[in-house]
Amino acid sequence: MSWDPAQYLKFSGERLRPALDLLARVPAAAPRAVVDLGCGAGNLMPLLRERWPQARLTGIDGSPQMLAKARADHPGIEFVQADVGAWRPAQPVDVLYSNATLHWLDGHESLFPRLLESVAPGGWLAVQMPRNFGAPSHTGVRDTIENGPWRARLEPHLRPSPVAGPQFYWRLLHAKAAALEIWETEYLLALRGDNPVAEFVKGSWLKPFLDRLEEPERSAFEADYRARVLAAYQPEANGSTLFPFRRLFIVAQRG
Ligand SMILES: C[S@@+](CC[C@H](N)C(=O)[O-])C[C@H]1O[C@@H](n2cnc3c(N)ncnc32)[C@H](O)[C@@H]1O
C-alpha cells in the first residue's frame, strides 16, 4: 500500500504515546545497534536517539513515501528500504524496536521467532501493535466493504484478525526468551475535529481500500465509512470524540 505521511502524522501526538510506553519498558542500558523496524517517517528516531545517544540507529521501512520524509527530517540516520517480512540484519542487533507496524504482516507464528533470533543474546525485541480490530472504527471498514458495489474487489483484501491474543505471543516466544513481558493497554483518545475517528483510521487501516478504488467510487466508499463511524462515535458536549483504542505490547529479551 502507499502511505501518506501527512495524513498519518495528523494524529502524531496520540500515536506517540504507546511508542513512549513501549520504549520505557525496554531495559537495555547501552545498546550499540538499534533498529526501528517499520520506522515510517522516522518520527520516533529522536526518542531513540535521546534514550540511547551512543547507539547506531537504523530505520527499516517498505514505503518510499515514508522513507523520503524520514531521510529529509533525519539526515544523519541510515534508512533502508526493505520488506520487514524478508529482512535479516547483517549482524544481530541489540534492540529491535517496532511500533505500530507488525500488524501489517501475516504469518506471525514464523515472523516473531525469527525477529527474536535477529537479536543478539541478551538484547531486546520490543513490539507494539494495535489490537482493536473488533471496534466500530475497524468493523466499519468491513461493513462498508460488504455493503457496496466494490465488495467482490475489496473483500479478498480484508484481513480478519491481523493480531492474535497475548497468550499466542507468549507461547511463541517464551522458550527462546530470557525475559518476556506482554501486556495490553486501552487508551482513551479524546480527539478533536470533524469525525476524527474516521480521519484517524484514514491514515492507516482504511487507506489500502481507498487506494484500490477510482473516483467516484472512492469518495462514495469514504462517505459510507464516515457515516458508520460517526454513528458509533458521537461527539461529547465539549466537542471531543472519545475513541477507546487497545494496543498489545511485547518486550522480550533474547536468551
Ligand atoms: C503505522 S506506520 C508506523 C510508523 C512508525 N513505526 C510509527 O510508529 O510512527 C506502519 C509502517 O509500517 C510499514 N510497513 C508495513 N508493512 C511493511 C512491510 N511488510 N515491510 C516494510 N515496512 C512495512 C509502512 O510502510 C509504514 O511506514
Side-chain angles (χ1 to χ4, degrees), residues 206-218:
L206 192 65
K207 187 145 190 329
F209 302 107
L210 288 176
D211 285 351
R212 287 192 157 86
L213 297 173
E214 304 285 345
E215 291 296 355
E217 273 193 329
R218 185 185 160 100

Side-chain angles (χ1 to χ4, degrees), residues 1 3 8-9 15 19 36-44 60-64 66 82-86 97-105 128 203-204:
M1 94 181 218
W3 283 79
Y8 179 72
L9 294 172
R15 296 193 197 275
D36 183 355
L37 202 55
C39 62
N43 40 302
L44 304 180
I60 309 289
D61 202 277
S63 160
M66 290 297 222
D83 177 1
V84 166
Y97 175 92
S98 185
N99 186 64
T101 291
L102 298 181
H103 59 296
W104 291 103
L105 284 92
Q128 183 276 117
S204 54

Side-chain angles (χ1 to χ4, degrees), residues 32 44 119 191 216:
R32 282 164 301 168
L44 304 180
V119 172
L191 304 179

